[in-house]
């Protein structure tokens, strides 16, 4: 497993073909007789929905069950919040990740998928070129040299970075047990949080969790908050402790060449499921199947929706944004607010931001990654999210920032360079809580330097408030909710873990076994995950 760098402890993105048996257990064949196939509808073809279809297929390969799967996606593409655009709409130029941008080696499912599917990975980021800005002044510049390390030691001491790294690693080690057969199948997020030993961490703010482990308030409010603002657009005082810890994991960050969505396309392709693109499901009704006499669900939403009654529905999209109404159902899915994040991709001829924009002398070095922390000297400053609740009728509830707050963006990062018309251009990505116009961009990069821009508003991830309760993963009989995981940890990877667990529970309920044969054993793993063995992929 990749280690986490001691300096700086920040994240820089924005939240195999192996034998089928670990213990020699043979695939169990299910005697089907004349029973009709189990029919499953999956709503959403992003990370959660595509991987759910894939996990079902893995189980079919091992057990021989008769299961038919339909995947419904309202967009014209697979990938959900993972999508790319080409600068200047020129497909000869490298595509740029517009949404979910990176994953790290600890994300075992995504790394395994990329390897098995033959997808090339692109290593990202020189993590040793960072400027930390609070809206008024540069607090720290870090380029990785010994002098910069001394500056960090002088500012924060040795104990805070070391203790922060230790706590983060402890969190990672617990999360990695989710890839082994030793962690029981969970039936609620609260149960999972308890099994992982995270109950106190999710119930407290990141500031309270890290300072209770001996990390100084200054380090938490500057270095850790820089990570939480770029990953989840939240300050250290408002995000829960697990969200803060997840934000600190950045070493070895990578993305799929050509776009991360390619993993999810492969999940669908290899699942054998029938994919219905450009198909909006607007209603779910619980009923009794005329053909089987079992409880079932029917879907509504247009002429492309099959009249089939489904035994199970896996909802793999945020319910608040789905526009789905539930009929004759007892399901109670609580309101979850999402961050309303502005993403701006900009191509410039400038290899760096203007130092004068950040109160520095002309010619002073500005990092390739400009991270931010709340200006606590300014009593009018606000936190990253939830100053003003907002509800977009097209997509649902969210929050936005006080536009006068400092700093006026979350992060600015250099992502790629390319040649165009005989000159080098630089692709930068800006995360902010409001729209950044061309004048603002030229103020940052220099007048006349800005070429192509692309702007997108995402309801990108839930606001990770400290919490003791989470949405149900089984909302009603036969109705499963992949995004129940998001208020706990919101990443592409954890959506694949959530979908695997839901498929495991669904199959156990329907056939008496999960994705893997019930006779599979941990084979002496204990709590150590090996790169070669990942639960769900291997049994």
């Amino acid at each position: 497993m990749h280690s986490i760098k001691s300096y700086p402890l920040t994240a820089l993105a924005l939240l195999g073909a192996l034998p089928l048996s670990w213990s020699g257990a043979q695939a169990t064949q299910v005697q089907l007789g004349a029973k009709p196939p189990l029919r499953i509808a999956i709503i959403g073809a992003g990370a959660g929905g595509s991987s759910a279809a894939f996990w079902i297929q893995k189980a079919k390969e091992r057990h021989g069950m008769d299961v038919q799967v339909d995947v419904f996606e309202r967009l014209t593409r697979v990938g959900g919040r993972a999508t790319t655009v080409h600068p200047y709409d020129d497909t000869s130029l490298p595509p740029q990740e517009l949404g979910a941008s990176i994953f790290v080696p600890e994300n075992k499912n995504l790394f395994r998928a990329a390897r098995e599917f033959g997808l090339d990975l692109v290593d990202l980021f020189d993590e040793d070129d960072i400027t930390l800005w609070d809206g008024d002044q540069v607090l720290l510049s870090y380029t990785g040299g010994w002098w910069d390390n001394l500056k960090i030691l002088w500012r924060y001491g040795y104990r805070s970075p070391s203790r922060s790294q230790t706590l983060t690693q402890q969190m990672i080690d617990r999360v990695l047990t989710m890839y082994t057969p030793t962690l029981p199948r969970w039936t609620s997020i609260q149960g999972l949080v308890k099994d992982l030993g995270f109950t106190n961490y999710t119930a407290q703010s990141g500031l309270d969790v890290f300072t209770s482990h001996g990390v100084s308030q200054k380090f938490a409010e500057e270095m850790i908050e820089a990570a939480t603002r770029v990953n989840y657009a939240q300050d250290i005082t408002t995000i829960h402790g697990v969200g803060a810890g997840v934000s600190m994991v950045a070493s070895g960050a990578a993305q799929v060449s050509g776009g991360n969505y390619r993993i999810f396309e492969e999940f669908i392709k290899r699942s054998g499921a029938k994919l219905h693109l450009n198909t909006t499901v607007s209603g779910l009704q619980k009923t009794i199947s005329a053909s089987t006499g079992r409880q079932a669900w029917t879907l509504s939403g247009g002429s492309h929706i099959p009249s089939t009654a489904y035994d199970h529905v896996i909802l793999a999209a945020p319910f608040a944004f789905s526009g789905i109404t539930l009929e004759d159902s007892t399901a109670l899915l609580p309101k979850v607010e999402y961050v309303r994040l502005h993403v701006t991709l900009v191509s410039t001829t400038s290899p760096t931001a203007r130092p004068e924009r950040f109160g520095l002398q002309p010619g002073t070095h500005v990092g390739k990654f400009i991270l931010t922390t709340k200006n606590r000297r300014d009593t009018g400053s606000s936190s990253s999210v939830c100053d003003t609740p907002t509800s977009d009728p097209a997509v649902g509830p969210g929050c936005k920032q006080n536009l006068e707050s400092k700093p006026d963006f979350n992060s600015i990062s250099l992502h790629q360079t390319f040649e165009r018309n005989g000159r080098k251009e630089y692709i930068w990505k800006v995360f902010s809580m409001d729209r950044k116009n061309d004048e603002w961009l030229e103020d940052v990069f220099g007048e006349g330097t800005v070429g192509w821009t692309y702007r997108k508003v995402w309801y990108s991830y839930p606001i990770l408030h400290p919490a003791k309760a989470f949405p149900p993963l089984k909302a009603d009989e036969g109705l499963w909710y992949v995004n129940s995981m998001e208020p706990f940890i919101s990443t592409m990877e954890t959506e694949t873990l959530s979908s695997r667990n839901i498929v495991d529970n669904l199959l156990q309920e329907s056939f008496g076994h999960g994705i893997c044969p019930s006779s599979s054993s941990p084979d002496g793993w204990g709590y150590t995950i090996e790169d070669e063995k990942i639960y769900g992929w291997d049994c």
Side-chain angles (χ1 to χ4, degrees):
M1 186 179 69
H2 289 237
S3 61
I4 300 173
K5 297 179 65 175
S6 299
Y7 303 115
L9 289 171
T10 56
L12 302 172
L14 356 90
L15 218 195
L18 296 173
L20 292 178
S21 175
W22 297 340
S23 59
Q26 299 298 313
T28 57
Q29 296 295 320
V30 177
Q31 299 301 318
L32 299 174
K35 291 177 62 178
L38 191 76
R39 299 183 186 276
I40 301 174
I42 299 174
I43 302 175
S50 63
S51 60
F54 180 77
W55 296 128
I56 293 169
Q57 179 61 26
K58 295 293 280 188
K60 289 170 65 176
E61 292 171 1
R62 295 177 180 127
H63 302 288
M65 321 97 63
D66 190 4
V67 180
Q68 295 181 6
V69 180
D70 286 321
V71 180
F72 299 92
E73 171 55 58
R74 67 181 179 183
L75 301 176
T76 58
R77 59 174 179 82
V78 169
R81 284 169 274 182
T83 187
T84 62
V85 293
H86 290 272
Y88 299 99
D89 293 325
D90 183 347
T91 56
S92 69
L93 297 176
Q96 304 299 315
E97 291 286 356
L98 184 61
S101 298
I102 70 161
F103 47 98
V104 294
E106 289 79 6
N107 297 156
K108 301 296 183 181
N109 285 336
L110 295 182
F111 264 78
R112 174 68 173 267
R115 187 173 77 227
E116 284 220 8
F117 303 160
L119 303 176
D120 294 331
L121 295 181
V122 179
D123 293 329
L124 298 178
F125 309 137
D126 176 3
E127 298 173 49
D128 294 336
D129 194 3
I130 293 172
T131 293
L132 182 60
W133 166 253
D134 75 353
D136 277 336
Q137 64 180 3
V138 171
L139 302 180
L140 183 72
S141 291
Y142 184 85
T143 57
W146 65 271
W147 179 247
D148 286 333
N149 284 333
L150 285 178
K151 287 192 295 184
I152 289 181
L153 288 172
W154 178 263
R155 187 173 184 87
Y156 304 114
Y158 171 76
R159 291 183 177 179
S160 287
S162 176
R163 288 170 177 171
S164 176
Q165 182 181 17
T166 298
L167 177 57
T168 301
Q169 188 62 56
Q170 289 172 350
M171 290 186 187
I172 293 171
D173 290 343
R174 295 181 192 181
V175 169
L176 290 180
T177 63
M178 296 168 71
Y179 297 95
T180 75
T182 56
L183 184 70
R185 182 184 300 124
W186 64 90
T187 57
S188 71
I189 302 303
Q190 291 94 315
L192 172 64
V193 169
K194 181 179 179 181
D195 287 342
L196 293 174
F198 285 162
T199 302
N200 290 334
Y201 294 169
T202 58
Q204 300 180 71
S205 72
L207 179 64
D208 289 339
V209 168
F210 276 86
T211 55
S212 69
H213 283 76
V215 176
S216 72
Q217 182 171 341
K218 186 173 188 178
F219 186 85
E221 290 180 343
E222 293 183 2
M223 296 296 281
I224 301 177
E225 184 167 276
T228 63
R229 285 175 65 93
V230 67
N231 279 288
Y232 290 115
Q234 281 189 251
D235 295 335
I236 190 71
T237 55
T238 63
I239 194 171
H240 62 57
V242 174
V246 168
S247 298
M248 300 294 286
V249 185
S251 292
Q255 62 185 209
V256 174
S257 177
N260 293 328
Y261 72 89
R262 297 177 64 199
I263 290 179
F264 311 131
E265 286 187 336
E266 288 291 333
F267 277 153
I268 292 290
K269 177 181 176 182
R270 293 163 187 261
S271 73
K274 185 175 182 179
L275 175 62
H276 305 262
L277 291 175
N278 198 26
T279 304
T280 298
V281 176
S282 60
L284 295 173
Q285 183 174 18
K286 188 163 69 171
T287 184
I288 300 296
S289 171
S291 61
T292 67
R294 300 191 298 244
Q295 178 189 285
W297 293 85
T298 57
L299 282 56
S300 59
S303 59
H304 296 299
I305 303 290
S307 58
T308 304
Y310 293 94
D311 300 286
H312 295 271
V313 174
I314 298 175
L315 178 57
F319 181 71
F321 305 160
S322 69
I324 292 174
T325 58
L326 302 175
E327 297 183 45
D328 302 321
S329 171
T330 59
L332 293 175
L333 291 170
K335 177 182 177 182
V336 175
E337 289 186 319
Y338 278 67
V339 173
R340 185 173 185 266
L341 185 72
H342 289 255
V343 177
T344 307
L345 290 173
V346 54
S347 175
T348 81
T349 56
S350 176
T352 182
R354 287 195 317 117
E356 297 89 342
R357 173 61 167 73
F358 301 95
L360 302 173
Q361 293 296 315
T364 304
H365 178 75
V366 180
K368 297 175 183 176
F369 307 101
I370 305 170
L371 304 180
T372 61
T373 184
K374 180 178 176 180
N375 186 338
R376 290 176 169 83
R377 296 183 306 279
D378 180 359
T379 57
S381 291
S382 64
S383 62
S384 294
V385 294
C386 266
D387 292 316
T388 307
T390 180
S391 182
D392 184 331
V395 293
C399 282
K400 65 180 180 181
Q401 185 185 29
N402 176 351
L403 303 186
E404 300 301 321
S405 66
K406 294 181 179 180
D408 60 347
F409 64 92
N410 289 38
S411 65
I412 301 173
S413 54
L414 177 64
H415 277 246
Q416 200 165 29
T417 63
F418 60 88
E419 294 283 340
R420 181 174 181 267
N421 296 333
R423 67 178 182 179
K424 181 176 286 188
E425 295 193 27
Y426 304 82
I427 295 289
W428 297 82
K429 180 181 281 188
V430 181
F431 292 157
S432 61
M433 306 307 291
D434 66 323
R435 185 183 188 276
K436 297 308 180 189
N437 59 30
D438 291 349
E439 291 76 16
W440 189 93
L441 295 172
E442 290 203 342
D443 184 42
V444 171
F445 297 107
E447 186 176 353
T449 66
V450 174
W452 169 80
T453 59
Y454 193 99
R455 297 175 177 89
K456 171 71 176 178
V457 178
W458 289 104
Y459 284 79
S460 48
Y461 24 68
I463 299 167
L464 302 181
H465 295 299
K468 295 182 179 179
F470 300 90
L473 63 88
K474 186 177 182 181
D476 199 347
E477 286 301 316
L479 179 59
W480 308 84
Y481 189 38
V482 172
N483 295 70
S484 60
M485 175 78 85
E486 280 205 289
F488 170 40
I489 305 176
S490 180
T491 66
M492 293 185 289
E493 177 71 13
T494 47
E495 288 298 278
T496 70
L497 286 169
S498 181
S499 69
R500 186 204 71 194
N501 177 68
I502 280 175
V503 170
D504 227 15
N505 277 281
L506 185 159
L507 296 179
Q508 179 66 36
E509 183 179 293
S510 300
F511 297 106
H513 60 73
I515 297 172
C516 293
S518 57
S519 58
S520 294
S521 72
D523 197 25
W525 276 17
Y527 286 91
T528 301
I529 181 71
E530 299 179 20
D531 288 339
E532 295 80 15
K533 296 180 180 179
I534 303 171
Y535 186 75
W537 295 88
D538 313 298
C539 293

